[in-house]
Amino acid sequence: QVQLAESGGGLVQAGGSLRLSCAASVRTFSSYPMAWFRQAPGKEREFVAAISWGGRNTDYADSVEGRFTISRDNAKNKMYLQMNSLKPEDTAVYYCAARRTTAWGTYRTVGDYDYWGQGTQVTVSS
């Protein structure tokens, strides 16, 4: 089984930056495509960004393209989300997720991922 733990959330002013981390407790971390999702109050969980098992391929939601950067360090069993130029509408609980199938593709729905962390709160004030 894969256990995921997010960290790095907090309160930031609009225009600021945060870096989220996701630590995975599995020896074969490098074989899992990973993703970030977020869920704002009263809304469904939505896709933010994804990264292939080797880190070569990435995918972003239109709403964060050019502002957020997803990356991973397989030697440390960690994934990151660098968030710049934050907006109040980025306020949400952010979740990291892992997908069992190693193949890369457009996987942007909750059902595409098999393992989830508990989430970390990001609040952007105006």
Side-chain angles (χ1 to χ4, degrees), residues 31-53:
S31 66
Y32 290 86
M34 302 287 294
W36 289 97
F37 284 73
R38 66 186 181 187
Q39 188 166 18
K43 295 188 176 182
E44 293 186 351
R45 194 169 298 188
E46 66 173 4
F47 171 80
V48 175
I51 189 167
S52 59
W53 59 268

Side-chain angles (χ1 to χ4, degrees), residues 8-120:
L11 174 64
V12 64
Q13 288 188 332
S17 298
L18 279 176
R19 189 193 194 204
L20 305 183
S21 297
C22 173
S25 61
V26 61
R27 284 192 300 172
T28 56
F29 174 74
S30 61
S31 66
Y32 290 86
M34 302 287 294
W36 289 97
F37 284 73
R38 66 186 181 187
Q39 188 166 18
K43 295 188 176 182
E44 293 186 351
R45 194 169 298 188
E46 66 173 4
F47 171 80
V48 175
I51 189 167
S52 59
W53 59 268
R56 181 173 297 180
N57 301 104
T58 57
D59 182 28
Y60 295 93
D62 290 345
S63 59
V64 306
E65 180 85 54
R67 299 188 298 122
F68 291 9
T69 302
I70 189 171
S71 62
R72 65 191 297 163
D73 185 338
N74 287 341
K76 296 183 178 180
N77 278 19
K78 286 191 173 181
M79 177 180 66
Y80 306 98
L81 185 67
Q82 177 67 43
M83 304 186 295
N84 298 329
S85 302
L86 282 161
K87 305 175 181 179
E89 50 263 44
D90 294 318
T91 295
V93 177
Y94 283 71
Y95 299 89
C96 65
R99 177 178 167 82
R100 277 197 297 261
T101 306
T102 58
W104 174 250
T106 304
Y107 299 113
R108 294 185 168 197
T109 67
V110 171
D112 289 328
Y113 293 84
D114 303 291
Y115 306 102
W116 293 85
Q118 294 300 307
T120 185

